[in-house]
């Protein structure tokens, strides 16, 4: 090997370790919606929702790209006894190793019955392709939740370098039953002010996560904590703070639990999480039945929308 080659190799190794990423795909603005498939099937989480096609969403004003941001909302005008109209977008491309950066001035605000999420999922039978939830919450929660759902043998260490506030389970295996000690994935809950109206009040911000051979890291930034390179074509995560959630790969959970990830945005209502009696009536102190509330109170959902400034995908060196 020539000395130059060795030097170059050393340089490459150093930059790989440093966490440098280059822009590889931009979902864009005017063409944003062309990069997604609109899912119109029944909600797999049993929500009181009707996912509509791109053309229906456009004509009903549920999506738009007018102005400098992308808007994705729900029907907040009509009663909706057959399920409230909303969209579920799934990216046409999938990525196995990448850094995803979503800059969003506004996310769906606190309201009884809402369940918004930005997440990704691998191929094949769920949960064997691996699911990564990076922005998720229900009803009036002001705390974001990060969760992995995987096939067997994916355990997280009890002690991890992350700023998240609590851990629900370190077992990501979603094939186990609750009585077997698993079944809900491995969730990390964030600090107050990282979700819903609380996040919006702080001026919005950004969500980022990366998938590397060494693990998955996720960050939630608010307007006042945005890294200086968040909007640039070249990002150095080594300069970013400790992640809000960290899921390391290793002998207790190999990286191959995660296939190429399809990105997903959706807003659903009620269903398995937001609509369960304890969560809806007790935790959130929401009135009556979730289905009735969502059906007959369209105005309660005027704040149930995403405003997206940009969504970009980066590749590490
Ligand atoms: C956590 O981060 C500190 C400081 O960067 C480092 O010294 C330590 O080894 C890390 N611990 C783990 C478990 O990764
Ligand atoms: C929705 O249903 C409620 C209860 O039946 C009714 O009072 C209200 O007028 C309806 N609103 C619309 C916009 O149809």
């Amino acid at each position: 090997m020539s000395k130059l080659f060795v030097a170059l190799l050393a340089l490459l190794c150093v930059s790989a370790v440093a966490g440098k990423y280059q822009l590889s795909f931009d979902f864009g603005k005017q063409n944003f919606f062309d990069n997604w498939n609109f899912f119109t099937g029944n909600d797999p989480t049993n929500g009181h929702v009707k996912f509509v096609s791109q053309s229906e969403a456009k004509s009903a004003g549920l999506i738009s790209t007018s102005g400098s941001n992308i808007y994705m909302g729900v029907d907040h005008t009509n009663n909706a006894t057959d399920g409230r109209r909303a969209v579920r977008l799934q990216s046409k491309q999938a990525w196995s190793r990448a850094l995803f950066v979503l800059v969003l001035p506004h996310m769906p605000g606190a309201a009884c019955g809402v369940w918004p999420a930005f997440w990704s999922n691998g191929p094949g039978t769920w949960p064997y392709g691996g699911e990564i939830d990076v922005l998720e919450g229900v009803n009036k929660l002001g705390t974001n939740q990060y969760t992995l759902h995987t096939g067997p043998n994916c355990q997280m260490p009890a002690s991890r370098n992350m700023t998240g506030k609590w851990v629900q389970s370190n077992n990501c295996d979603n094939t186990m039953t609750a009585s077997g000690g698993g079944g809900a994935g491995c969730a990390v809950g964030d600090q107050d002010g990282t979700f819903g109206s609380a996040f919006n009040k702080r001026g919005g911000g950004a969500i980022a996560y990366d998938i590397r051979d060494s693990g998955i890291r996720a960050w939630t930034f608010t307007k006042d904590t945005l890294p200086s390179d968040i909007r640039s074509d070249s990002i150095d995560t080594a300069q970013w703070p400790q992640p809000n959630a960290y899921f390391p790969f290793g002998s207790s959970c190999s990286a191959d639990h995660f296939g190429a990830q399809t990105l997903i945005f959706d807003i659903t209502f009620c269903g398995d999480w937001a609509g369960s009696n304890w969560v809806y009536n007790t935790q959130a102190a929401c009135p009556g039945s979730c289905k009735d509330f969502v059906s007959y109170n369209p105005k309660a959902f005027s704040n149930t929308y995403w405003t997206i400034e940009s969504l970009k995908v980066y590749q590490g060196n």
Side-chain angles (χ1 to χ4, degrees):
M1 267 193 278
S2 79
K3 277 195 176 133
L4 181 65
F5 183 74
V6 172
L8 275 175
L9 203 67
L11 202 68
L12 277 174
C13 291
V14 166
S15 55
V17 167
K20 291 210 168 109
Y21 291 84
Q22 302 299 326
L23 180 67
S24 74
F25 186 75
D26 185 345
F27 279 80
K29 221 152 245 186
Q30 293 311 316
N31 60 340
F32 179 84
F33 293 109
D34 299 339
N35 293 310
W36 305 84
N37 293 314
F38 281 64
F39 172 89
T40 56
N42 290 331
D43 178 15
T45 59
N46 304 305
H48 187 55
V49 70
K50 200 172 155 214
F51 292 126
V52 300
S53 67
Q54 181 167 1
S55 56
E56 183 174 348
K58 199 174 171 190
S59 63
L62 271 50
I63 59 168
S64 68
T65 43
S66 56
S68 58
N69 290 317
I70 295 134
Y71 172 93
M72 263 190 279
V74 303
D75 180 348
H76 55 90
T77 315
N78 302 296
N79 282 340
T81 49
D82 294 335
R84 186 155 294 287
R85 287 191 296 173
V87 291
R88 174 174 162 135
L89 272 58
Q90 308 188 167
S91 65
K92 290 181 179 171
Q93 271 195 62
W95 294 266
S96 53
R97 294 286 179 275
L99 167 69
F100 306 97
V101 179
L102 170 68
V103 180
L104 77 167
H106 186 275
M107 74 167 79
C112 287
V114 298
W115 179 359
F118 170 62
W119 52 293
S120 64
N121 195 17
T125 307
W126 189 88
Y128 298 90
E131 174 181 325
I132 308 170
D133 302 329
V134 281
L135 183 59
E136 187 176 27
V138 294
N139 299 313
K140 300 170 186 167
L141 290 182
T143 51
N144 190 17
Q145 184 169 311
Y146 315 85
T147 311
L148 304 186
H149 302 275
T150 68
N153 303 316
C154 181
Q155 184 81 29
M156 289 295 131
S159 168
R160 288 177 260 165
N161 273 341
M162 60 184 183
T163 62
K165 203 171 170 182
W166 50 264
V167 168
Q168 193 179 49
S169 165
N170 284 315
N171 191 350
C172 310
D173 177 1
N174 232 103
T175 65
M176 291 174 71
T177 60
S179 60
C186 48
V188 172
D190 211 341
Q191 311 285 333
D192 292 339
T194 51
F195 196 81
S197 294
F199 174 86
N200 296 336
K201 260 187 212 130
R202 297 170 74 181
I207 307 298
Y209 74 109
D210 67 356
I211 311 169
R212 314 202 298 179
D213 293 340
S214 56
I216 295 168
R217 302 180 294 174
W219 294 263
T220 296
F221 301 109
T222 49
K223 204 177 173 185
D224 49 322
T225 64
L226 284 176
S228 57
D229 58 2
I230 196 101
R231 290 182 171 89
S232 84
D233 291 353
S234 146
I235 284 180
D236 184 359
T237 57
Q239 306 304 318
W240 286 11
Q242 207 175 51
N244 301 54
Y246 177 44
F247 303 94
F249 294 143
S251 54
S252 306
C253 181
S254 57
D256 61 11
H257 281 86
F258 292 87
Q261 297 283 304
T262 299
L263 301 184
I264 304 171
F265 276 104
D266 74 290
I267 298 172
T268 184
F269 300 92
C270 306
D272 298 342
W273 185 11
S276 89
N277 287 342
W278 185 84
V279 170
Y280 179 81
N281 293 119
T282 309
Q283 183 186 49
C286 286
S289 96
C290 188
K291 252 185 180 173
D292 284 350
F293 184 83
V294 168
S295 293
Y296 298 115
N297 293 280
K299 286 195 181 72
F301 307 105
S302 55
N303 213 15
T304 307
Y305 64 90
W306 309 94
T307 304
I308 294 163
E309 180 190 304
S310 61
L311 174 58
K312 295 177 183 174
V313 184
Y314 298 78
Q315 293 295 324
N317 287 328

